[in-house]
Amino acid sequence: MVNWSCCSILSIIAVDTVCGRSHKVDGQVLDVKVYHECLGQVESDDDGPFKPPVSLEISDIDAKKLQFLIKSPPNQQAVDKQLEAVYGKPVWPKKSKSSSLTIDCTLTPETKDCRKIARTWEAKIKENFNLYLDLLLVEKHTALQEAFPLVINKLKSLTISNPDAVAVVLEKSNHEIYVAGHKQEVTEVSKQVAGIIDSIQNSNYFTQG
């Protein structure tokens, strides 16, 4: 009868013995390591000091969504928390009209499984950031040039139940009004903006064309 526990012990001893010896092939010294198929290749400090991934610049962002985040500290904090979970730290631009956002990597050599995490770090950052962006909505409104000053003045009377969740952005050169923020609040405010524009432009003072 075979004693399997004995075989296991002998196997471990044999592996340690082989890995502990110096091996040469064609005059070249080989570095022999244990390979576990179920775990993948063994990593060690022999790969050199750990270097975290370089900062990631995300540029394919809706400009108005980014502008909303830049101007909203509560939403910045929410993004910070979401990316912190995957070892990312946003560097928020100082200018509201920015076309990209830089994310720094917070992985360190002391982070458990830092090399493994680093391999998928960029993908995880993009995934988590996009999850937050998907919560946001942007709606665009355009007013007649002649009506735009009256529209702007009337917008001061907007009723916004949650100011941290939505922002109204004016593009005066194009007579455009953008409502950006969280979907529910954007929908509510956008209806008010559309109503104001229609009310002014459908009056006797303004006509299309």
Side-chain angles (χ1 to χ4, degrees), residues 13-23 30-35:
I13 293 174
V15 169
D16 289 342
T17 301
V18 171
C19 292
R21 293 177 180 174
S22 176
H23 301 271
L30 301 181
D31 184 14
V32 180
K33 295 181 180 179
V34 179
Y35 178 82

Side-chain angles (χ1 to χ4, degrees), residues 129-192:
F129 186 54
N130 285 330
L131 283 174
Y132 198 88
L133 291 179
D134 288 342
L135 300 175
L136 307 180
L137 176 67
V138 177
E139 292 200 355
K140 173 184 173 183
H141 301 270
T142 304
L144 293 172
Q145 181 177 354
E146 297 82 3
F148 198 66
L150 291 177
V151 171
I152 293 177
N153 187 60
K154 195 67 176 178
L155 288 177
K156 297 176 183 178
S157 64
L158 282 175
T159 302
I160 301 178
S161 58
N162 186 0
D164 289 333
V166 64
V168 177
V169 181
L170 303 178
E171 293 286 352
K172 295 183 179 181
S173 59
N174 299 320
H175 317 112
E176 294 172 345
I177 302 166
Y178 291 86
V179 183
H182 291 270
K183 293 180 180 179
Q184 181 177 342
E185 287 77 5
V186 166
T187 300
E188 293 173 356
V189 174
S190 191
K191 286 180 179 179
Q192 295 184 61

Side-chain angles (χ1 to χ4, degrees), residues 6 8 46 55 69 90 108 120 122 132-133 160 164 170 176 181:
C6 179
S8 298
D46 294 342
S55 297
L69 291 175
T108 68
T120 58
E122 181 175 325
Y132 198 88
L133 291 179
I160 301 178
D164 289 333
L170 303 178
E176 294 172 345

Side-chain angles (χ1 to χ4, degrees), residues 8-209:
S8 298
I9 295 172
L10 290 175
S11 175
I12 294 172
I13 293 174
V15 169
D16 289 342
T17 301
V18 171
C19 292
R21 293 177 180 174
S22 176
H23 301 271
K24 288 186 178 181
V25 175
D26 295 333
Q28 299 294 321
V29 178
L30 301 181
D31 184 14
V32 180
K33 295 181 180 179
V34 179
Y35 178 82
H36 298 281
E37 186 176 355
C38 60
L39 299 178
Q41 189 170 358
V42 175
E43 294 180 339
S44 71
D45 293 337
D46 294 342
D47 298 323
F50 171 72
K51 294 182 179 179
V54 297
S55 297
L56 174 64
E57 184 177 355
I58 303 178
S59 57
D60 55 338
I61 312 173
D62 183 294
K64 291 298 182 288
K65 287 185 179 182
L66 180 57
Q67 189 173 357
F68 166 72
L69 291 175
I70 293 173
K71 289 187 173 183
S72 175
N75 283 279
Q76 283 188 23
Q77 292 172 10
V79 174
D80 288 346
K81 186 175 181 179
Q82 186 147 329
L83 294 185
E84 182 182 5
V86 287
Y87 303 96
K89 181 177 176 57
V91 181
W92 294 104
K94 294 182 179 179
K95 296 182 178 180
S96 61
K97 289 188 176 181
S98 299
S99 58
S100 63
L101 178 66
T102 299
I103 313 292
D104 288 342
C105 180
T106 61
L107 283 170
T108 68
E110 289 73 32
T111 305
K112 184 180 179 181
D113 298 326
C114 58
R115 295 179 188 272
K116 179 181 179 181
I117 296 171
R119 288 197 291 268
T120 58
W121 177 79
E122 181 175 325
K124 288 292 186 181
I125 289 294
K126 290 182 177 179
E127 178 184 352
N128 276 37
F129 186 54
N130 285 330
L131 283 174
Y132 198 88
L133 291 179
D134 288 342
L135 300 175
L136 307 180
L137 176 67
V138 177
E139 292 200 355
K140 173 184 173 183
H141 301 270
T142 304
L144 293 172
Q145 181 177 354
E146 297 82 3
F148 198 66
L150 291 177
V151 171
I152 293 177
N153 187 60
K154 195 67 176 178
L155 288 177
K156 297 176 183 178
S157 64
L158 282 175
T159 302
I160 301 178
S161 58
N162 186 0
D164 289 333
V166 64
V168 177
V169 181
L170 303 178
E171 293 286 352
K172 295 183 179 181
S173 59
N174 299 320
H175 317 112
E176 294 172 345
I177 302 166
Y178 291 86
V179 183
H182 291 270
K183 293 180 180 179
Q184 181 177 342
E185 287 77 5
V186 166
T187 300
E188 293 173 356
V189 174
S190 191
K191 286 180 179 179
Q192 295 184 61
V193 173
I196 289 172
I197 294 174
D198 289 343
S199 175
I200 292 175
Q201 293 187 167
N202 290 335
S203 69
N204 295 329
Y205 299 103
F206 303 100
T207 58
Q208 296 275 357

